Amino acid sequence: MRRYIRALILCMVFAVFSGLYVYSKLFYSDVPVGAKRVVNPPRDPGARRGTADKTGPKNQHRHNRFIMRQHGQMEAAGNSVKHRPEPPMHLAVVACGERLDETLNMIKSAVLFSIKHLYLHIFAEDQLHADFVKVLESWFGFVRSRFDYTIYSISFPSENAAEWKKLFKPCASQRLFLPLILKDVDSIVYVDSDILFLQPVDGLWGFLSQFNSTQLAAMAPEHEEPRIAWYNRFARHPFYGRTGINSGVMVMNMTRMRSAFFKNDMTSVGLRWEELLMPLLQKYKLNITWGDQDLLNIIFHYNPELLLEFPCKWNYRPDHCIYGSNCASAEEDGIYILHGNRGVYHDNKQPAFRAVYEAIKKYTFGTDPVSSLLGPLEKELLKATHTYCGKSHMLFTKTLTNSLANVSSKAQREQ
């Protein structure tokens, strides 16, 4: 019996001392009960890769797993930032009547050369929608991956829809309402359907970053040479600058356009964009020849500080060569964007313009663009040297040559 009593006393004494030991640890610890402390030991900045860290914890295996997990999380976070997709460039076009093929050729040139991802906003009559989808979805996967698109019905303010639609060419004035329709889009490049890109859209998109604190749009002059310009000789309304502006290529910060107040000759106070358009049309509709372009000229005549003017190489038209070369920036750098207005892609009046249109139209995605596009184009341009524009045929391929070389190298990387 005594042995049992002694054993019981020893157990009690051991239990008391154990309790005191645990209590002292809890009392002097700064870690709450139930919490775990993760120690990230200081690293020796002088230690070389591959050497042991003698200051590290005894359980090196657990420490290595912790470091590897941390490194993996940081690497994943870094990759998510690094590979976060850039916002796309927004490109808008309007297609009505017989403009389907012409618009698709414009889109083809934009997709062919662009570097950043494109988002296309296609405004078209309802009967054209299915044809757009059919062609765009038929392009190769690696080409199709370069752009997204939305097709919209033509839309004008209901009370004046018929008047807006018949202004100048069918649906052309749709561009005036883009800031009001695409309310969630900050900025956009608008182009007419008869535009062909000879270099990436990215360069045109870059003008947005050149806007000062007041500018909200960018366009090229209608003419470089006042002696042959139209507006300063024939216009019956106010126009921008010396020779007016051409609206076939237009860069817009639509956020600024929606919030700006525009000076005008109808009221003493500034009007917002949506308040300005209809009164302007009512006042000048008997005096305008070029429809919505004339309205834009009137607007920027009274608000010149809101416009950035870019060189004619970004909007090169037959007027720049039909009476001899009169676009200095194109003579220096080549043509960046070709504007085949007055139907010159589809008749024989300007064979140089038609040659570029046909070369892009006949090009097949996936084939070598230098041999299958540039080569045939140069041969056709030599046949046009009897015209003033044909005499400037080197301007048509100067920029295009570099653009196609970049396309070739890009295709090799993607395939």
Side-chain angles (χ1 to χ4, degrees), residues 7 203 408:
S408 295

Side-chain angles (χ1 to χ4, degrees), residues 66 76 79 90 105 124 130 153 178 184 193 219 235 246 278-279 316:
F66 172 73
N79 286 341
H90 292 266
N105 216 32
S153 295
L178 295 184
D184 295 328
S193 61
M219 284 181 275
N246 184 280
M278 196 61 210
Y316 190 91

Side-chain angles (χ1 to χ4, degrees), residues 104 129-141 143-145 147-151:
L104 285 168
H129 289 198
D131 292 324
F132 271 111
V133 173
K134 180 180 178 181
V135 174
L136 295 177
E137 293 298 331
S138 72
W139 289 347
F140 287 119
V143 175
R144 179 64 188 82
S145 66
F147 68 95
D148 294 299
Y149 67 93
T150 301
I151 300 175

